[in-house]
Amino acid sequence: MKLKWESISTLHQNVFLAKVLAAIFITGLAFRFYAVRFGQVSVNGISDPQISPPSSVIISENEDLFPIDIEVEKCDLFTGKWIRDPLGPIYTNGSCGVVVDSHQNCITNGRPDSGFLYWKWKPNDCSLPRFDPLRFLHLMSNKSWAFIGDSISRNHVESLLCILSTVERPVEVYHDEEYRSKRWVFPSYNMTVSNIWSPFLVQAAIFEDSRGVSSAAVQLHLDRLDNTWTDLFPGVDYAIISSGEWFLKTAIYHENATPVGCHGCPQSSNITDLGFDYAYNTSLRHVMDFVASSNTKGTIFFRTSIPDHFENGEWHNGGTCKKTEPVNEDEVEMKVLNKILRDVEISQYQRVVTEMGEEAGRFKLLDFAGMLLTRPDGHPGPYREFRPFDKDKNAKVQNDCLHWCLPGPIDHLNDVILEIILNS
């Protein structure tokens, strides 16, 4: 009987010890989850006092879930809504490892609110993982990326570089004379990222100063692609091509080296005003046909043009953007000009992928227009300049309601792109 009593006592002791260890383990997991989910730490491990979540940020634990009967592989990543994100951006205004255009460095320039940083994109029918810069760099070892287009394309490439710089700082290895086209390399991964300046994608003679003020109409050759990007195109593994806004400028159109029309030309001229949509449609047709017939084995994306959010005017006549939070779909409508640009883009893309047949899989569409339409809060506004109201609180300042703050909503384009690549 004594032996039996001792074995039972030992058993009770072991059970008690197991319960204590389990309790410690569960407590540790809970603490780790809380620290990771709600901690705000910058890249160097030190809290950044400049960017902190507003006290009003509250997120429901289940609002990022989706119905279990949804087939994730059929999810439309471009249809969804913005939901609260207490984690905030991956990088901060002070931690980016590359030189960001000062006009997009909104927090450093004195923007007083930070709530616009604490939102993330949530597709309706699936979850969208947070961008993983380390995973991306491993996937892209020995690969090359090219962002081809205008200043929005530059805005996007700087966003990606800032995110990736939390793992390794890129080294700039090339720039053109005007510092508009650049190339960086991530040495440990032999990955290159290029920003290729080609706002029209076709050959253009542009006459404007550094402030964007034109002295003459653009001379635009609609049937001649810009070799700034076409010469490099066959060698890239991934490319994102985009255009749009620049076609709204006053221009003379040429085909077969002969003037055929214009947009915004004086009434006294003898040239027919064909409208910017004619020029954009013609140019994109040549761009799409070039992509379809090229011998590149890379994955090519075409990104639709992104709407601006100027209110009570435009860039040149006092337009502003004062909102500090996302809006619902029923609170905003895409402007007519943006609709025309997007219609041309969708039409030309659908035409060419139909003609490509089985080869169309390597040519993908990035339609971020609807996603960013509901983010009027993400622009620099008056904070495109450094502390614009320090000397005069009522100063009249030119607003930027076209480009995006860094960090800001444009960072989440990279979440979608990485998910598309992984699903492919």
Side-chain angles (χ1 to χ4, degrees):
M1 292 295 294
K2 185 177 180 180
L3 289 174
K4 186 176 181 181
W5 170 253
E6 287 179 348
S7 63
I8 293 173
S9 176
T10 302
L11 177 61
H12 280 296
Q13 290 176 6
N14 291 341
V15 169
F16 176 76
L17 180 59
K19 288 181 178 179
V20 171
L21 291 175
I24 293 172
F25 179 72
I26 292 171
T27 303
L29 281 179
F31 176 80
R32 180 176 178 82
F33 173 78
Y34 179 85
V36 170
R37 185 170 177 81
F38 294 99
Q40 176 59 34
V41 181
S42 66
V43 234
N44 56 11
I46 301 173
S47 295
D48 189 336
Q50 294 178 321
I51 299 181
S52 56
S55 57
S56 61
V57 170
I58 300 174
I59 186 169
S60 169
E61 287 297 323
N62 66 347
E63 70 177 329
D64 198 22
L65 300 179
F66 57 97
I68 59 175
D69 58 341
I70 292 293
E71 295 184 46
V72 176
E73 63 271 15
K74 294 183 180 180
C75 175
D76 179 2
L77 295 170
F78 302 97
T79 302
K81 63 180 180 179
W82 294 90
I83 64 173
R84 300 279 189 175
D85 177 23
L87 288 178
I90 295 176
Y91 63 98
T92 72
N93 56 300
S95 70
C96 184
V98 295
V99 178
V100 173
D101 189 316
S102 61
H103 295 318
Q104 277 82 65
N105 202 340
C106 305
I107 300 297
T108 298
N109 287 346
R111 179 168 173 169
D113 63 302
S114 62
F116 71 98
L117 299 172
Y118 293 88
W119 297 84
K120 64 180 178 180
W121 179 247
K122 169 66 175 65
N124 287 337
D125 297 332
C126 58
S127 62
L128 180 62
R130 186 177 175 88
F131 187 92
D132 185 340
L134 181 59
R135 186 180 191 185
F136 184 88
L137 284 168
H138 278 298
L139 284 171
M140 296 301 153
S141 293
N142 303 311
K143 303 292 185 183
S144 60
W145 275 80
F147 290 71
I148 304 164
D150 55 21
S151 56
I152 299 295
S153 182
R154 181 186 67 226
N155 203 174
H156 187 188
V157 76
E158 289 179 349
S159 163
L160 178 63
L161 291 173
C162 283
I163 294 173
L164 298 180
S165 70
T166 62
V167 176
E168 179 176 79
R169 295 202 168 195
V171 178
E172 185 180 316
V173 294
Y174 167 80
H175 63 77
D176 62 6
E177 292 183 3
E178 296 180 334
Y179 287 81
R180 283 186 155 176
S181 291
K182 296 181 180 181
R183 185 178 303 118
W184 298 264
V185 64
F186 289 86
S188 299
Y189 303 90
N190 191 32
M191 172 196 170
T192 59
V193 179
S194 299
N195 176 37
I196 303 174
W197 175 256
S198 183
F200 291 102
L201 302 176
V202 295
Q203 292 182 17
I206 303 170
F207 308 95
E208 65 178 37
D209 60 22
S210 58
R211 297 173 299 163
V213 178
S214 299
S215 58
V218 177
Q219 300 294 319
L220 201 57
H221 295 269
L222 307 181
D223 54 353
R224 295 182 181 179
L225 299 184
D226 181 3
N227 59 7
T228 303
W229 69 273
T230 57
D231 288 351
L232 300 173
F233 186 78
V236 300
D237 296 296
Y238 294 88
I240 299 179
I241 303 172
S242 58
S243 188
E245 288 285 337
W246 279 66
F247 281 86
L248 303 179
K249 293 179 178 289
T250 300
I252 307 296
Y253 302 144
H254 301 258
E255 292 182 76
N256 295 319
T258 304
V260 295
C262 66
H263 169 60
C265 44
Q267 293 182 351
S268 58
S269 67
N270 295 323
I271 306 176
T272 303
D273 194 325
L274 298 176
F276 69 89
D277 53 331
Y278 171 85
Y280 197 33
N281 192 66
T282 304
S283 299
L284 271 193
R285 177 165 50 82
H286 289 290
V287 170
M288 299 286 186
D289 288 346
F290 172 81
V291 172
S293 61
S294 68
N295 58 3
T296 179
K297 299 301 181 183
T299 298
I300 311 303
F301 298 92
F302 181 82
R303 176 181 59 73
T304 57
S305 54
I306 293 174
D308 67 73
H309 292 96
F310 285 101
E311 295 180 343
N312 304 313
E314 297 296 331
W315 181 286
H316 60 283
N317 59 4
T320 59
C321 41
K322 298 180 179 181
K323 289 184 171 61
T324 57
E325 286 191 349
V327 297
N328 295 322
E329 289 183 0
D330 57 0
E331 296 179 89
V332 63
E333 186 176 353
M334 190 178 294
K335 296 178 180 178
V336 173
L337 295 181
N338 294 131
K339 284 182 179 179
I340 294 172
L341 292 173
R342 183 176 175 278
D343 286 347
V344 169
E345 293 158 351
I346 298 297
S347 174
Q348 283 297 333
Y349 174 79
Q350 290 176 340
R351 174 192 65 82
V352 80
V353 295
T354 299
E355 294 175 1
M356 290 175 71
E358 294 181 357
E359 292 294 317
R362 63 183 177 87
F363 193 20
K364 304 179 184 298
L365 183 69
L366 297 175
D367 187 10
F368 291 119
M371 175 178 171
L372 290 177
L373 179 63
T374 53
R375 292 305 306 269
D377 57 320
H379 302 288
Y383 298 98
R384 66 186 301 271
E385 302 294 345
F386 183 70
R387 307 192 71 85
F389 301 114
D390 276 7
K391 294 182 180 179
D392 181 1
K393 292 182 179 180
N394 299 314
K396 291 185 178 181
V397 181
Q398 184 182 48
N399 280 234
D400 183 353
C401 306
L402 173 63
H403 301 95
W404 302 88
C405 292
L406 295 176
I410 197 170
D411 295 327
H412 295 277
L413 272 57
N414 302 307
D415 299 348
V416 174
I417 292 169
L418 177 55
E419 190 68 8
I420 291 173
I421 291 171
L422 292 174
N423 288 340
S424 297

